[in-house]
Amino acid sequence: MGKPKTIIEKVWEKKVVHEEAGKPDLIYIDLHLVHEVTSPQAFEGLRLKGRKVRRPDLTFATVDHNVPTKNREQINDPISKIQMETLAKNCEEFNIPLADMFHPDQGIVHVIGPQLGLTQPGKTIVCGDSHTSTHGAFGAIAFGIGTSEVEHVLATQTLWQNKPKTLNLHVEGDLGPGVTAKDLILAIIAKYGVKMGTGYIIEYTGDAIRNMSMEERMTVCNMSIEAGARAGLISPDEKTVEYLRGKRHVPEGEAFEKAAAEWLALATDEGAEYDKVLTIDAAEVEPQVTWGTNPGMGAPISGSTPSLTEVDNKEDVRLALEYMGLEESQPITSIEIDHVFIGSCTNSRLSDLRKAAQIVKGKKVKDTVRAIVVPGSFYVKMKAEEEGIDKVFKDAGFEWRDAGCSMCLAMNDDVVPPGGRCASTSNRNFEGRQGNGARTHLVSPEMAAAAAIEGHFVDVRTYN
Amino acid sequence: MEAMKQHKGIVYPLNRSNVDTDQIIPKQFLKRIERTGFGQFLFYHWRFDDDGNKREDFAMNDPKYDDASILIAGENFGCGSSREHAPWSLADYGFKVIIAPSFADIFYNNSLKNGILLIEVEQSKVNEWMEKAENGTLELDVNLEAKTIDDGSGELFTFDIPEYHRQNLLNGWDEIALTLQLEDKISNYEQTTL
Ligand code: SF4
C-alpha cells in the first residue's frame, strides 16, 4: 500500500490532463454549471473567435440571480430581461441544456446540481459563481471561476490550476442542541478569519460533520469561500451514497453500486497528511449572528459587538459598526431587525425550510418586520407545499416566493431599503449586498425565523 | 489580452483591508452583457452618494489621483464573489497594477486574465507606500521583466510572481489558443478516462 492520501489528492490526480514543470496542471472539468450573470461575455468570446462548446453534454444552465420571485410573467428591469434572454439564446446556439424560469428544474444553481444528481463524488465541478464550493459536500472538487475561465472551460473542458494546498478543518465533538451547521461555519470563520483558507482546499472532518445530513454539509461547504477557500469538501460516506441513490443523473442498478464503491474509496485515508490543520470544539459553538460587514465579524448570541479598545483592526471595526448603525459592546439580543430573508444557496433547502417553519408555527411575524421565504428551487418549493410548510409561513405573515437568489444579492426586485436591517440566512454581509445602504446579519434559518417573530435576535435554544 | 512588460504610473492608496467585489462593483451593474464600460461603476457607492454626486470625503475623487493607474490596498483584496466585472471595472477605469499584502484566489486569476498585474508586497512596504501616496504623490515604475519596482528612493524593490502568469502577461497570450494546442491530450483523456 502506498502513502495515505487525502481525498483532495486522490481526486486531483485523476483529473490531470497535462503537467509540465513551471506551469499549473491542466485539469479536466466533469461538470460546468452556467447562469445568466457571469456567462454572456464568455459566449460572446467564443463567437468572436469562432469557437465551439466542447462538451455541451457536461454543461448545464439555469437562471437564478435575476429571476423575479413574485410574478414570473413580469420582469421589471429590461436589462435583467436581456441577460436572461441572452442565456437562452446562447444555450440554444451552443446546444446546452437549460432550465429556464418556467422549467420544473429551475432553481439556484447550487441547489439544483445536487437535487438532479449532477453533483457526484470525485467530480471536478466549476461555475462562474463563488459558492460552487457547495458541491464539495459530496466529495467533489468544486470551485468558482471568473468569466474568462468560463470561456476556457466552454472551449476546452479544462482549466489551468495550481495543485491546491490542503487544509483539514477538524471539528471536535458534536454540536449542542439547537446549534446548526450554519452556526458552525460562521463560528469557524469568526475564529479563523476570512482569509484562513486562501490558497487551500478545505476538508471538513470530525464527528459533527459525519453526523450532519447532506443538506447541512452543503451549508458548511457553501461558505468555504467566505473563509477564503475556493473549495471545501467532505469525504463521501453512506449518507452521500443514499442521498444520491435514485437521483436523475446518477447511474442505476448495478452501475450505481459500482459507482458507490468508487465514491467511498475516495474518502481520505487514515493517516493522510495535510498542509495545515485547524480545529474547533463543537461544544463551544453557540447560535451565531454577524454584526459587521464581512462574514468573519460575528458573535455568539450571548455575546456583544466588540469594544474598540479590545480589537487589533480598530479602523475596520469602527467603519463596520458605523455602516451597521451599531454601538460598540452592544448586546446581540438588543439588535432590532425590520427584514427577514430565509433563502439563498446556503439555507434554502427543504430541511432548512422545515426547521424554520417549526419555529414560526402558530406565531405571527412582528408587525414592524417584513419577512420572506424564497425556496432554493422550484422542486423544493413544490415539496414544501406538499408538506404544508408554505401554509405555516403564510399564516405567520411571511411572503412565500418562487425560487431564485432573490434578496441574497438583490439583483431582482427583492431589495432591503437603505438603512434597513435584515436577519438573513444567506452568506454575505458586505456593504450594500442586500440593497444600497442595507444592513445584513447572517444567521441560521431557525435564528432568522425567531427574529421575525420577536423583531430582534433571540437564542433559539431557549425559544419556543 | 494586451502584453505588459513595464508600467510607470501614479499610485492611488485605498487604505482598507478585505475589500470585496461587491464594493469594487455593486451588483446593479452586473446586468450588462458586454465586457466594456464598467469603469464608471468602480467603487460606485464609495465614490458617489445616493443622488449620483461625487463624495468629497472619498480620496479617489481628489483630482491629484485622476491619472492614477496603480492601486495599493490592504490585505485580502478582491474577496467575495467570482464576478470578473471587478477586474473589468478596475481595468476599464485605468488601473494596470494592483499592490496589496494578499489577494483573494478567484480575483487573482480573474485579474491576470485581463492584463492587470497583481503584486503581493509585505505589509510594511505597503504601509510605507500608502503613506507616501496619501501625503503627496507617489509614482512607481514597475518592471515585469526584471520583477522590480522603482519608487524613486534609489533602492529597487524586487517582487515575485508565478512564472506562468508572468509569461502570459509579458506575451499577452490567448490562453484558450494555447490550451487548444493540447487538443490531442484532452481527447485522449476523454477516451481513456471518462
Ligand atoms: S443565492 Fe446568493 S450566494 Fe448563492 S448563488 Fe445566488 S447570489 Fe450567489
Side-chain angles (χ1 to χ4, degrees):
Chain A
M1 218 184 115
K3 191 170 161 283
K5 285 181 187 161
T6 66
I7 178 172
I8 301 163
E9 296 163 285
K10 291 190 209 179
V11 175
W12 194 272
E13 282 169 5
K14 289 191 176 83
K15 303 301 163 186
V16 176
V17 173
H18 174 79
E19 50 188 337
E20 201 178 316
K23 274 193 174 187
D25 292 342
L26 186 68
I27 60 162
Y28 200 78
I29 301 302
D30 298 311
L31 174 65
H32 184 191
L33 301 166
V34 173
H35 68 77
E36 76 275 23
V37 178
T38 54
S39 66
Q41 295 87 352
F43 285 110
E44 188 57 22
L46 292 183
R47 262 193 296 272
L48 287 173
K49 293 264 163 83
R51 289 173 177 147
K52 289 198 180 52
V53 174
R54 184 180 179 90
R55 294 297 299 263
D57 57 325
L58 302 181
T59 312
F60 189 91
T62 193
V63 285
D64 52 7
H65 284 65
N66 272 304
V67 292
T69 57
K70 241 184 188 163
N71 180 359
R72 289 266 144 121
E73 306 293 337
Q74 190 188 341
I75 302 167
N76 290 326
D77 182 346
I79 317 181
S80 287
K81 194 157 177 243
I82 291 175
Q83 206 168 50
M84 289 188 265
E85 287 167 356
T86 304
L87 180 64
K89 266 189 247 155
N90 286 330
C91 286
E92 200 184 313
E93 179 181 341
F94 292 100
N95 218 1
I96 293 169
L98 166 72
D100 71 11
M101 212 168 34
F102 301 101
H103 195 285
D105 290 338
Q106 185 268 337
I108 304 173
V109 65
H110 311 308
V111 175
I112 63 176
Q115 173 187 302
L116 294 171
L118 287 165
T119 303
Q120 291 169 17
K123 278 192 180 182
T124 39
I125 303 176
V126 297
C127 174
D129 191 286
S130 59
H131 291 99
T132 308
S133 59
T134 314
H135 307 263
F138 291 81
I141 292 187
F143 54 93
I145 56 178
T147 300
S148 295
E149 290 172 316
V150 169
E151 186 178 335
H152 192 280
V153 177
L154 289 171
T156 70
Q157 204 59 32
T158 62
L159 272 180
W160 295 96
Q161 291 290 308
N162 284 313
K163 194 165 183 231
K165 291 182 284 179
T166 57
L167 191 168
N168 179 6
L169 197 301
H170 185 70
V171 187
E172 278 164 2
D174 209 355
L175 294 169
V179 183
T180 67
K182 180 66 164 286
D183 299 312
L184 174 65
I185 188 65
L186 285 173
I188 289 171
I189 301 168
K191 179 167 179 184
Y192 290 112
V194 291
K195 60 188 192 79
M196 107 189 171
T198 307
Y200 291 89
I201 293 186
I202 302 175
E203 181 179 358
Y204 301 92
T205 61
D207 289 348
I209 301 291
R210 286 287 142 229
N211 291 339
M212 281 181 190
S213 69
M214 290 312 295
E215 300 200 339
E216 291 170 316
R217 292 179 189 181
M218 284 187 244
T219 300
V220 172
C221 290
N222 173 273
M223 289 192 72
S224 301
I225 184 68
E226 272 63 52
R230 287 180 85 173
L233 51 66
I234 292 171
S235 284
D237 58 14
E238 283 302 329
K239 277 188 196 165
T240 320
V241 171
E242 286 320 308
Y243 185 95
L244 289 172
R245 189 186 295 276
K247 295 271 188 292
R248 195 189 311 162
H249 289 273
V250 299
E252 286 172 52
E254 237 172 81
F256 181 81
E257 301 310 327
K258 188 167 164 267
E262 283 169 17
W263 295 340
L264 293 172
L266 292 171
T268 291
D269 298 329
E270 183 93 33
E273 284 174 24
Y274 299 83
D275 295 309
K276 186 157 122 184
V277 180
L278 297 172
T279 58
I280 188 161
D281 181 358
E284 278 177 15
V285 176
E286 288 182 37
Q288 301 284 311
V289 179
T290 64
W291 51 262
T293 51
N294 77 48
M297 294 173 158
I301 182 69
S302 66
S304 311
T305 62
S307 131
L308 286 178
T309 51
E310 281 165 20
V311 292
D312 306 329
N313 52 342
K314 222 176 248 118
E315 185 57 12
D316 288 339
V317 171
R318 192 190 62 74
L319 281 171
L321 288 175
E322 185 181 296
Y323 179 84
M324 293 296 289
L326 297 173
E327 306 292 325
E328 51 177 320
S329 308
Q330 180 176 344
I332 298 294
T333 48
S334 74
I335 301 173
E336 292 184 1
I337 51 100
D338 40 50
H339 281 71
V340 169
F341 170 60
I342 299 180
S344 90
C345 57
T346 317
N347 280 127
S348 64
R349 297 179 181 82
L350 191 56
S351 57
D352 296 312
L353 305 189
R354 275 189 195 136
K355 288 180 212 156
Q358 254 167 26
I359 302 256
V360 305
K361 194 166 190 160
K363 300 196 178 72
K364 289 277 177 223
V365 170
K366 190 157 173 125
D367 51 9
T368 50
V369 174
R370 177 180 173 222
I372 71 171
V373 185
V374 185
S377 68
F378 188 81
Y379 178 81
V380 168
K381 181 176 189 239
M382 193 185 75
K383 282 281 162 203
E385 288 175 358
E386 280 173 16
E387 293 181 18
I389 289 176
D390 59 324
K391 201 161 173 310
V392 173
F393 280 118
K394 284 191 266 190
D395 286 349
F398 279 83
E399 296 174 39
W400 178 253
R401 298 293 191 81
D402 287 326
C405 294
S406 177
M407 209 178 259
C408 172
L409 93 166
M411 268 184 92
N412 65 357
D413 298 333
D414 306 334
V415 178
V416 178
R421 188 181 293 288
C422 184
S424 179
T425 66
S426 54
N427 43 50
R428 288 193 173 133
N429 51 349
F430 297 151
E431 284 182 27
R433 172 81 178 180
Q434 296 191 290
N436 183 23
R439 294 153 172 168
T440 302
H441 297 275
L442 302 176
V443 289
S444 70
E446 290 90 324
M447 287 287 286
I453 308 297
E454 297 303 320
H456 61 90
F457 291 112
V458 293
D459 190 338
V460 284
R461 291 173 301 178
T462 51
Y463 184 73
N464 58 49
Chain B
M1 186 168 90
E2 247 177 78
M4 173 196 292
K5 297 196 161 49
Q6 188 170 18
H7 177 76
K8 189 171 176 176
I10 299 204
V11 171
Y12 166 63
L14 181 64
N15 197 359
R16 301 200 191 202
S17 45
N18 301 313
V19 171
D20 58 73
T21 53
D22 279 78
Q23 258 54 70
I24 297 173
I25 180 151
K27 74 266 166 166
Q28 63 268 37
F29 306 120
L30 306 184
K31 296 177 181 174
R32 300 156 56 97
I33 54 173
E34 302 86 23
R35 241 176 228 263
T36 49
F38 286 99
Q40 51 186 317
F41 310 126
L42 178 67
F43 299 129
Y44 191 83
H45 292 302
W46 287 343
R47 275 165 68 204
F48 303 102
D49 66 18
D50 295 348
D51 302 321
N53 302 314
K54 280 190 178 178
R55 289 183 197 268
E56 303 247 321
D57 59 350
F58 190 59
M60 201 168 162
N61 289 329
D62 184 332
K64 82 170 177 177
Y65 299 121
D66 276 356
D67 295 326
S69 59
I70 299 177
L71 177 69
I72 296 195
E75 63 173 13
N76 200 27
F77 187 81
C79 60
S81 92
S82 64
R83 61 187 72 160
E84 201 159 307
H85 312 69
W88 292 337
S89 64
L90 286 157
D92 191 53
Y93 186 87
F95 287 114
K96 301 251 185 284
V97 179
I98 308 177
I99 296 173
S102 59
F103 297 94
D105 287 342
I106 304 181
F107 177 80
Y108 188 86
N109 280 351
N110 284 347
S111 296
L112 287 158
K113 299 219 150 98
N114 287 281
I116 304 176
L117 169 58
L118 301 191
I119 307 177
E120 284 188 353
V121 170
E122 73 252 18
Q123 186 75 51
S124 56
K125 198 75 197 171
V126 163
N127 292 348
E128 181 193 320
W129 284 340
M130 192 87 78
E131 226 180 284
K132 280 192 180 149
E134 277 171 354
N135 299 331
T137 302
L138 175 67
E139 196 176 43
L140 294 180
D141 189 349
V142 179
N143 186 329
L144 182 58
E145 283 193 299
K147 298 194 270 189
T148 58
I149 302 176
D150 185 351
D151 64 0
S153 67
E155 226 177 293
L156 276 188
F157 179 87
T158 57
F159 66 88
D160 225 0
I161 172 172
E163 192 51 25
Y164 174 76
H165 293 311
R166 193 174 81 104
Q167 289 302 335
N168 277 346
L169 278 174
L170 285 174
N171 297 293
W173 276 330
D174 171 355
E175 203 182 34
I176 296 177
L178 292 182
T179 307
L180 288 173
Q181 291 173 7
L182 296 167
E183 149 72 24
D184 285 1
K185 285 208 142 184
I186 302 173
S187 295
N188 185 42
Y189 179 92
E190 286 175 330
Q191 277 150 24
T192 54
T193 317
L194 296 192

